[in-house]
Each structure stands twice: as C-alpha cells, then as structure tokens.
Amino acid sequence: MITEKIKARPLDGAPVAARIKEEVRAEVEQMVQAHGYRPCLAVVRVGEDPASAVYVRNKVKASEEVGIRSEHLALPETIDAAELLDQIKSLNARDDVDGLLVQLPLPRGIDETAIIDAINPEKDVDGFHPVNAGRLAMGRPVFVPCTPLGIIELLDYNGIDIRGLNACVVGRSQIVGRPMAQLLLQRDATVTICHSRTRDLAAVTRGADLLVAAIGRAGLIGREHIKPGAIVIDVGMNKVSEENEVRALFGDAAEKRLDVVAKRGYTLVGDVNPAEAAAVAGMLTPVPGGVGLLTVAMLMKNTLKAAKLRKRSAL
Ligand code: NAP
C-alpha cells in the first residue's frame, strides 16, 4: 500500500464552475430584462446509450439553472443518417435556436463527421465543426470545445501563469487533446503533444511544468511521468471496479473508494494515478470533482456567446 505524504494542492472544479454559471445566469437575466430574448440550446441525442442520457440530462439541468431555454430531441436508434441530417437542417434554420449539439457517440452506421459538419458553425457550441477547429488553429477562436476551455478557466481562477511554461498534453483527440494544445499555445506555453505512438512517454512528460492527461486509460500517468512540483490536469473519466486496481490507484484512500464500488459497482478514476501523483505533483485536479464539472459550465458560456453573436444587431 502507498503511504506517501500528500503534497499536491487539489485544483477543485466546483468553485470555478459555480462562478461561471453565476456569471452566465446574470447575463442571461440581463438579456431577458433588456431585450426580451432568452437564449436556447438544442441537444440532439440518438439511441439509448445510458452514459449519453446522463450527459444530456446534466446539460438540460444546467441550462435550467442559468435560465437558458433548452430543447432535448431524443431520436430512435433506428434513425438513418439522412433523417438525422434533416433534423439538424431544421434546427440550423430555426432563428430561436442559438446553440446546437449532437451528443456523441452516435450509433454505429452513422458517420459522426458528416453529422458534425452539417451543424451551422454559428450554432456549434461544442466547437467540433471544422470551421471552429480551423479558427482555433489559426489563433482566431470563436467556439472552442468545452473541456479544454474549462481547463484554461481553472488555471486562470487559480492564478496560474501559463506563459512560458513547458506544457505537455497527452492525447490528440478533436474533443480534448488538440484544442487543449492550441489553447495553451495561444497563451504562450511551449507545447508538446504526446499520443499512443510517442516513444518513452515518461521521458517527455517529465519535462512538463504543466501536464494535461486526456488519454482514457485509468491511472496511466504515474510517478515516473511527473516532474516534481508540476501542475497536473487529469481529464480522464474511467470506471474501475477490481479491488487490486482500486488499491493500486488510491493507496490510503482505497477503503473509501471500495465502499463506492460496493454501492455502485465502480468508482471513477482519471488517467493519472491519484496516489502517486499526489506525492509528486505541486497541484492536481481530483477525479471526480475537477475538470468534469467545468465542461457543462463552459457549454452554458458558449451558448450565451452564440446568442450574443447571432443577435448582435438585434439586441
Ligand atoms: P480519445 O478520443 O480516445 O483519445 C485518446 C488519446 O489518447 C488519443 O490521442 C490516443 O493516441 C492517446 N493515447 C491512448 N493510449 C495512449 C498511451 N498509452 N500513451 C499515450 N497516449 C495514448 O479520448 P478523448 O475523447 O480525448 O478522452 C480522453 C479521456 O478524457 C477519456 O477518459 C474521457 O472519458 C475523458 N473526457 C472527460 C471529459 C470531461 O468532461 N471530464 C470530456 C471529454 C473526455 P492516438 O491518437 O495515437 O490513438
């Protein structure tokens, strides 16, 4: 069992998410009072994936909290791509819909790229459309994916000066890794991107003052990957249920996590080994309670931004 002293300061997402949502709520209220206009987010879900259902519920709930109107379009698993494209076209055309997102993953057989490409970039509050990815890559961002955007807010909230840091992002997905690297570059970090073909990952990540793990492998980033005192941001959300794995990941805190496993069947762990990282890193985001909370808050902020940009001349 690991009994090392915890050194890393936790970077909690809750106060940052609460502040962002409060700011959005106040602006939405102001928009309603001054212009009689309430922003609207449309969320399209296809099929019955239970995780997607939870994510969509959270998005609808957050919208209610901040006063954004939301529409949830639940479509059957059997829908074909042409019908789904028709639904997107009609939401694109509706003047009262400001933000539009399609919850991923889509059922097999539907080409996600074609669906994302069909969303009007002006309503693309997830920031996944090639126009928005391109704008970000050119240093002229409009809509940026919510998870990396939330990480920048978290760093800013904690007074972390990104400029000049050696930053390493592990993962190059369109949703997290790539936009994260772009945002850090924009904030003048020196950025390295790692992926599954990186040779000697630990040798690269150990050079980082700021390490972002967006991999999807429970606890892959261990002590040997982390520079002493580094800021470690753990994006991963993985389920673990094996007792041995829970003990290896959580050290002294394993008993509490095993209680969670007994109740729920699993506990959530990030891509960073929390017990090892806590002993080496200077700051560390917890899982749960870190980055995950920020994603939905940033979606609210992006939806408000879409409404402001679309209605600029009218308001
Ligand atoms: P993804 O699309 O599967 O991408 C994973 C990336 O990790 C890929 O670029 C892959 O490299 C790289 N990778 C895989 N194994 C590796 C290894 N052994 N060494 C180095 N790199 C490796 O995943 P994602 O959508 O970015 O999500 C990553 C994690 O974040 C997941 O756990 C996901 O659940 C979580 N997530 C959380 C939030 C949140 O709100 N907290 C939001 C989004 C995602 P290749 O490109 O070479 O395959």
Side-chain angles (χ1 to χ4, degrees):
M1 181 180 295
I2 299 154
T3 51
E4 287 170 296
K5 249 182 92 197
I6 293 178
K7 189 173 140 274
R9 173 157 85 81
L11 293 174
D12 289 321
V16 196
R19 192 177 77 176
I20 294 162
K21 284 204 258 181
E22 179 47 34
E23 284 167 4
V24 173
R25 195 201 58 73
E27 267 202 73
V28 167
E29 182 61 26
Q30 204 269 336
M31 200 182 252
V32 173
Q33 295 293 334
H35 305 286
Y37 187 77
R38 191 178 289 283
C40 172
L41 171 67
V43 181
V44 178
R45 178 167 67 92
V46 184
E48 293 306 325
D49 175 43
S52 292
V54 172
Y55 291 140
V56 169
R57 245 198 331 270
N58 289 341
K59 289 169 188 180
V60 169
K61 189 168 153 265
S63 303
E64 277 165 18
E65 281 168 22
V66 301
I68 287 176
R69 196 161 64 80
S70 69
E71 283 187 24
H72 173 195
L73 188 60
L75 300 170
E77 183 104 25
T78 50
I79 195 168
D80 65 28
E83 287 172 281
L84 180 55
L85 283 171
D86 280 346
Q87 295 284 356
I88 289 171
K89 273 183 208 153
S90 87
L91 290 165
N92 277 343
R94 270 181 48 193
D95 193 43
D96 64 321
V97 171
D98 298 291
L100 166 57
L101 71 87
V102 177
Q103 185 65 44
L104 302 178
L106 288 172
R108 256 183 235 184
I110 298 185
D111 176 7
E112 283 184 358
T113 311
I115 301 301
I116 300 293
D117 288 1
I119 294 172
N120 177 351
E122 289 177 21
K123 299 189 179 190
D124 171 38
V125 284
D126 261 344
F128 296 162
H129 191 282
V131 166
N132 284 314
R135 284 171 174 158
L136 175 62
M138 294 176 81
R140 293 160 41 198
V142 179
F143 292 111
V144 176
C146 299
T147 302
L149 200 55
I151 291 170
I152 297 291
E153 294 266 353
L154 181 73
L155 296 172
D156 285 345
Y157 181 91
N158 285 282
I160 294 161
D161 187 7
I162 301 169
R163 174 178 292 196
L165 292 182
N166 280 331
C168 179
V169 180
V170 189
R172 54 176 165 179
S173 71
Q174 304 292 347
I175 294 171
V176 191
R178 280 170 206 256
M180 184 77 254
Q182 294 291 351
L183 286 175
L184 291 169
L185 183 62
Q186 219 187 331
R187 295 289 293 268
D188 296 327
T190 303
V191 184
T192 309
I193 306 173
C194 297
H195 45 77
S196 68
R197 304 287 185 270
T198 299
R199 285 189 199 152
D200 198 352
L201 182 68
V204 183
T205 58
R206 252 197 327 264
D209 309 308
L210 171 61
L211 176 59
V212 182
I215 310 164
R217 305 273 183 279
L220 183 129
I221 299 294
R223 176 199 332 269
E224 72 280 14
H225 295 89
I226 301 169
K227 178 178 178 174
I231 303 153
V232 179
I233 307 293
D234 190 355
V235 185
M237 288 225 271
N238 312 288
K239 291 178 179 177
V240 290
S241 47
E242 290 294 318
E243 181 176 342
N244 287 347
E245 205 180 346
V246 173
R247 291 197 185 282
L249 289 164
F250 292 102
D252 289 346
E255 295 307 326
K256 231 164 82 186
R257 293 297 190 128
L258 286 168
D259 286 347
V260 177
V261 175
K263 272 190 216 128
R264 251 194 247 157
Y266 66 88
T267 186
L268 277 183
V269 65
D271 294 336
V272 177
N273 181 313
E276 293 186 14
V280 187
M283 299 182 206
L284 174 66
T285 57
V287 177
V291 171
L293 298 174
L294 294 164
T295 301
V296 175
M298 296 318 293
L299 177 66
M300 299 300 110
K301 196 165 174 173
N302 274 354
T303 304
L304 172 64
K305 182 175 184 176
K308 287 200 285 192
L309 290 173
R310 291 184 61 251
K311 299 284 172 185
R312 196 164 29 192
S313 50
L315 298 185

